[in-house]
Amino acid sequence: MSAAHEPHAGAPAEGGARTDWMDALPQAVLLSEHGLVTRLNAAATRLWGVPQERAQGRPVLEVVRRHTLEALLERGGELELEVSGRTLRCTATHTGPNGALIVEDITDHRRREAELREATAVLSHEFRTPVAALRGVLEALEYDMPADLAQNFVRQGLQETERLARLVEDLAVGFRPTRARTLPLSEAFARAERLLRPELGARHTELTFGQDHLVRADPDKLLQVLLNLVENALKYGPAAQPVQVQTAARGTWVEVRVLDRGEPVADTESLFRAHTRGQHATGQGSGMGLYIVRSIVHGWGGQAWAEQQDGANAFCFTLPGVAGLG
């Protein structure tokens, strides 16, 4: 053998170098020529379950086993596929007889996008109540009224402004651990009734509350649960019919039930899923209310459910109790 044909000492073979960098890629890569596979990297071998030595020289369709991918490789372009619960982004290039197919698993990316949309929907829903309360306060302050009444409205406005500030903080730095404290249920009931007073008056509806109990919860989150459930009862129950909030001690837990006399709800479990509304729902709505209720209640270790009680719809939740009220 002449020196001109001897390999350079210490130089890696060209195929070996290509193998090294392609096998290091997290994406699956398939190379082809005239419709036949010339190369699979390690990720592609794992994805399609065909080793390089068996794939080489075989038609692309025999390896990828999907006409969609074969056609994509022939024309070039990009598409997404759902395969066995995974989302795959497939990109193909085609130059003359040569083609390259790159497949990337973007399942986690799509999951994070879904979580972000869900968090945005939850925050949007939670912003509605304090914004509506502030609007009511400002509208009331436009009119002349006694100083003590005006001061009461100002206090309400400041309280809701603080609540909005906490929501903004959550939006900026992510959801923080619960700010739980011990409080009587009557405190949350009074706050909810004050915020709902205009709607109660408009519907000529009376809101009644059960026995007081000491509980351990984040006051804002507890208020959010109560507002969601009572607002639903007002929305779907008949006007001028009372809405009852019942309470009972269940061992170390306190159970709260919100009852309405609306149309009986059949599939109650589905209502607690995100973006789901009841069959009798009218007007605009995100379908997030009961999903938020269950998420909050699960956050403090309780349960949330719905059932029929004495001809009424009962939407129920539990929260940690504190013995020795009074």
Side-chain angles (χ1 to χ4, degrees):
M1 178 184 294
S2 66
H5 293 90
E6 291 179 0
H8 187 278
E14 182 181 350
R18 187 175 68 177
T19 297
D20 289 342
W21 75 261
M22 284 185 63
D23 286 343
L25 293 175
Q27 300 89 349
V29 179
L30 178 151
L31 304 181
S32 68
E33 185 175 356
H34 295 294
L36 303 178
V37 176
T38 58
R39 176 78 177 90
L40 292 182
N41 72 344
T45 294
R46 291 192 296 270
L47 176 63
W48 290 302
V50 181
Q52 164 67 16
E53 55 271 19
R54 285 182 52 200
Q56 189 168 5
R58 297 177 65 180
V60 168
L61 182 60
E62 290 186 14
V63 175
V64 300
R65 299 186 294 279
R66 284 181 178 271
H67 288 286
T68 307
L69 292 179
E70 181 191 37
L72 179 68
L73 187 56
E74 289 176 354
R75 69 174 185 272
E78 183 176 313
L79 59 82
E80 286 188 13
L81 285 178
E82 296 290 334
V83 180
S84 301
R86 311 295 293 178
T87 303
L88 305 179
R89 178 189 289 145
C90 310
T91 306
T93 60
H94 194 82
T95 306
N98 300 312
L101 176 65
I102 302 172
V103 180
E104 181 181 6
D105 189 335
I106 59 170
T107 306
D108 290 341
H109 176 70
R110 289 288 180 258
R111 178 181 53 78
R112 286 191 295 271
E113 286 184 340
E115 289 174 350
L116 179 59
R117 286 194 298 270
E118 206 69 74
T120 302
V122 169
L123 281 169
S124 174
H125 194 282
E126 290 204 32
F127 268 98
R128 287 172 49 204
T129 299
V131 168
L134 279 172
R135 182 168 56 241
V137 166
L138 292 174
E139 289 172 351
L141 290 173
E142 286 185 318
Y143 301 95
D144 290 332
M145 63 181 71
D148 57 341
L149 184 57
Q151 186 61 37
N152 184 51
F153 276 112
V154 170
R155 280 196 298 269
Q156 290 182 40
L158 289 173
Q159 188 177 47
E160 295 308 320
T161 301
E162 291 172 359
R163 188 168 170 220
L164 274 174
R166 286 193 289 270
L167 286 172
V168 170
E169 290 176 5
D170 285 343
L171 181 63
V173 299
F175 295 103
R176 293 178 177 177
T178 182
R179 303 174 180 89
R181 66 176 175 85
T182 299
L183 72 154
L185 269 177
S186 57
E187 178 184 315
F189 291 161
R191 191 175 171 194
E193 184 177 28
R194 185 174 65 249
L195 292 172
L196 292 167
R197 194 171 295 149
E199 190 171 354
L200 291 166
R203 294 181 61 86
H204 306 288
T205 299
E206 182 183 6
L207 177 61
T208 62
F209 297 98
Q211 184 179 359
D212 199 7
H213 296 268
L214 273 182
V215 296
R216 181 78 180 174
D218 182 320
D220 286 341
K221 295 301 184 185
L222 175 55
L223 176 65
Q224 190 71 26
V225 169
L226 287 170
L227 288 175
N228 270 306
L229 296 183
V230 176
E231 283 176 339
N232 277 354
L234 292 170
K235 186 184 301 182
Y236 300 120
Q241 286 289 323
V243 173
Q244 295 176 281
V245 180
Q246 300 178 346
T247 64
R250 306 294 186 206
T252 59
W253 294 84
V254 173
E255 182 181 300
V256 179
R257 291 172 165 257
V258 178
L259 277 65
D260 71 70
R261 301 286 172 178
E263 292 287 338
V265 178
D267 184 11
T268 57
E269 184 61 27
S270 67
L271 294 179
F272 287 90
R273 301 192 192 110
H275 307 294
T276 301
R277 304 183 71 201
Q279 60 179 341
H280 303 294
T282 58
Q284 295 183 340
S286 65
M288 293 294 294
L290 292 178
Y291 172 79
I292 291 173
V293 165
R294 178 167 281 180
S295 298
I296 292 172
V297 172
H298 282 181
W300 61 52
Q303 298 294 319
W305 72 97
E307 61 188 31
Q308 291 294 306
Q309 177 180 323
D310 301 327
N313 296 308
F315 288 85
C316 320
F317 67 95
T318 57
L319 67 165
V322 179
L325 175 61

